[in-house]
Structures are given as C-alpha cells and as structure tokens.
C-alpha cells in the first residue's frame, strides 16, 4: 500500500511516504489505492482508501491536507488557523495550490500524482513541504518557490534542507514536442543536462528529475541532500499510476510528509 521514505525519515522527525496502486478498493483504471477525489473515481471508494491509508500510518494525524492541484506554481503557507478538529484526520483541500509548506505537527501534506513529480522537503529547523511539479510547474520553478518560502518565511537554511523526488515519469518515457523543449529553454534550464532528442522520431525527451534537481541546487540545497526514488511511473504502471499509460481518468498516487 505505501512505502516509507527512508531518505527523509532517517534524518529528521518526519513521517514521509508514497503509495503504490495495490491495497485499496477502487476498480478499473483506479485500481486500487486511489486517494484522490477529483479524478473521476467513486467517492465512497476514495474515502475507504483514505481510511486505510490513515490506519496504515504509524502516527496520529490531526488533518490531511490534499490540495486541488492545477499545474501551477502557488505554494500555500499552512498555519494553525487553517486546521481544526484535532485528531479527526479531516481532509483539507485548498483549490489552486500545487505546493504546501508548514511547521504544524501531525498534519499530513499529501500530493497527488500520476507521472508528475512529487517532491518532499524537510528542514532541520522543523519545517516540511510537499510539492506537485508537472512539466508546467517545473517550468514555473515551483520547487524554488517552496524553498524560498521555507528560507524567507521560516528562516530555514538551505544547507539544512533535505529533498526527495518520488516515483514519476522518467526521461526515457517523457517524450515531448518542440514547444515543451522551448518552454524549458526559455526558463533558463541547462538543456544539455535535461534534454535529449530521439532522431528517429524527431521528438525531445525531458528529464524532470534532473530539472528539479537543478532548481533545488540553485536554491543552495547541496546535491548530496537530494534523494531520488528513481522509479518511472510510466514504465511501471502495473505498480504505480500513470496518466500516460492509463489515461487521465485514472487513479493517482499520494506522496506525503508530516512532522511528528
């Protein structure tokens, strides 16, 4: 059902994880552990899957923050007034948000993905973040926006931040047109590091993992502080949800982090 992210949990007082497809009750393209309620799945199945997820986590959850993502660059600063009903594991779903930063304890931040990059951040200053970085969000540099909120809003030192890039589409599987290549190029990414061209198909391949690493390192996070799951959701769509393999009306993985 879920995999604990040792890269973060071994160093900071956090619970961090990502889900796989198995372990839930949803069917068809949502089979079976879909916890996202805006991708077309039966709501009763989603609610049961969320209940199973909360039961599987080893710590108390006061609230589950799962934003309604829009492939943008808005990062939400989650404060105490945003969470009520302690101990209820109430789901909070801010609209139009693709990243969340907080220092609240026992509040789980969850990002939904099916090929897009889920990014978790944890600071030794006691601040965590969860970020949804599709190609549009990556071009808009949402990872840097999240780090900037952590450093400017919470006085976190970049050297004390660790990051984890979860299961998502690999460069080999992420074939794009010239317009996507040009968007990354205009945004100032090192295209020699993140792009390659399939001459047989005249298509570009973009490495979203490397692109987000570039952004994190540009913020001062040391390279050795960045962990990578290295799992391609498209190539392993039997275990992980993939919109490219299953269609957009399919399930989503949940990648989460919580201060404990």
């Amino acid at each position: 059902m879920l995999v604990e992210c040792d890269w973060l949990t071994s160093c900071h007082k956090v619970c961090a994880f990502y889900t796989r497809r198995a372990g839930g009750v949803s069917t068809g393209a949502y089979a079976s552990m879909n916890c996202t309620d805006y991708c077309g799945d039966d709501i009763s199945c989603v609610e049961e899957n969320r209940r199973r997820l909360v039961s599987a986590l080893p710590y108390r959850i006061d609230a589950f923050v799962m934003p309604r993502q829009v492939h943008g660059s808005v990062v939400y600063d989650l404060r105490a007034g945003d969470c009520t009903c302690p101990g209820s594991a109430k789901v909070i779903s801010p609209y139009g948000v693709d990243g969340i930063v907080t220092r609240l304890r026992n509040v789980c931040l969850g990002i939904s993905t099916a090929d897009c990059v889920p990014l978790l951040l944890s600071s030794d200053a006691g601040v965590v973040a969860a970020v949804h970085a599709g190609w549009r969000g990556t071009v808009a540099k949402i990872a840097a926006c999240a780090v900037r909120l952590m450093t400017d809003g919470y006085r976190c030192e970049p050297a004390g931040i660790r990051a984890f890039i979860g299961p998502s589409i690999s460069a080999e599987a992420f074939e794009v047109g010239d317009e996507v290549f040009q968007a990354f190029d205009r945004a100032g990414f090192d295209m020699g590091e993140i792009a390659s061209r399939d001459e047989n198909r005249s298509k570009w391949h973009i490495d979203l993992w490397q692109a987000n690493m570039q952004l994190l390192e540009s913020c001062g996070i040391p390279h050795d502080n960045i962990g990578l799951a290295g799992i391609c959701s498209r190539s392993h769509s039997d275990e992980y949800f993939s919109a490219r393999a299953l269609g957009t009306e399919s399930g989503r993985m949940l990648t989460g982090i919580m201060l404990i």
Side-chain angles (χ1 to χ4, degrees):
M1 178 187 298
L2 62 86
V3 178
E4 187 174 3
C5 176
D6 294 334
W7 176 257
L8 294 176
T9 58
S10 62
C11 298
H12 298 144
K13 293 182 178 180
V14 300
C15 170
F17 64 90
Y18 56 86
T19 62
R20 292 187 286 195
R21 289 188 63 179
V25 299
S26 296
T27 60
Y30 304 98
S32 63
M33 192 59 189
N34 170 56
C35 293
T36 302
D37 61 6
Y38 57 86
C39 57
D41 195 6
D42 184 284
I43 296 302
S44 64
C45 292
V46 173
E47 291 175 348
E48 172 60 18
N49 292 339
R50 288 175 175 174
R51 188 196 65 77
R52 292 187 180 197
L53 175 61
V54 169
S55 297
L57 293 171
Y59 303 100
R60 185 190 88 242
I61 296 178
D62 288 344
F64 223 129
V65 184
M66 297 175 58
R68 178 68 181 264
Q69 301 156 190
V70 294
H71 296 274
S73 60
V74 174
V75 180
Y76 188 69
D77 186 359
L78 187 74
R79 301 281 180 162
D82 298 313
C83 299
T84 58
C85 304
S88 68
K90 176 182 178 181
V91 176
I92 301 169
S93 301
Y95 183 84
V97 170
D98 284 83
I100 320 165
V101 174
T102 195
R103 65 161 26 119
L104 299 178
R105 297 194 176 276
N106 300 109
V107 174
C108 190
L109 312 180
I111 292 297
S112 301
T113 62
D115 288 335
C116 293
V117 173
L119 175 64
L120 301 179
L121 302 165
S122 176
S123 166
D124 55 15
V127 179
V128 294
V131 177
H132 165 252
W135 77 260
R136 291 178 178 84
T138 302
V139 166
K141 303 182 179 179
I142 188 171
C145 293
V147 174
R148 191 156 49 245
L149 179 53
M150 294 175 76
T151 56
D152 295 350
Y154 289 92
R155 301 184 181 276
C156 300
E157 291 294 332
I161 296 175
R162 289 174 71 88
F164 176 74
I165 296 171
S168 42
I169 198 165
S170 66
E172 291 75 16
F174 191 42
E175 184 180 86
V176 302
D178 290 343
E179 72 285 357
V180 176
F181 174 91
Q182 292 163 6
F184 277 90
D185 192 26
R186 287 193 300 269
F189 287 86
D190 184 340
M191 302 308 291
E193 284 192 1
I194 72 167
S196 60
R197 191 170 180 85
D198 184 339
E199 297 299 340
N200 293 327
R201 292 173 51 81
S202 297
K203 290 286 187 177
W204 288 102
H205 287 254
I206 298 291
D207 190 338
L208 293 177
W209 301 344
Q210 183 61 43
N212 280 283
M213 286 184 183
Q214 283 187 17
L215 291 173
L216 295 171
E217 290 182 44
S218 73
C219 295
I221 298 177
H223 178 78
D224 289 344
N225 281 19
I226 304 171
L228 176 67
I231 299 169
C232 176
S233 51
R234 173 64 179 86
S235 301
H236 299 281
S237 58
D238 57 331
E239 295 183 74
Y240 300 90
F241 289 113
S242 167
R244 287 211 168 192
L246 302 167
T248 55
E249 293 187 358
S250 60
R252 303 291 187 270
M253 295 173 289
L254 190 70
T255 302
I257 190 166
M258 178 176 67
L259 285 166
I260 55 176

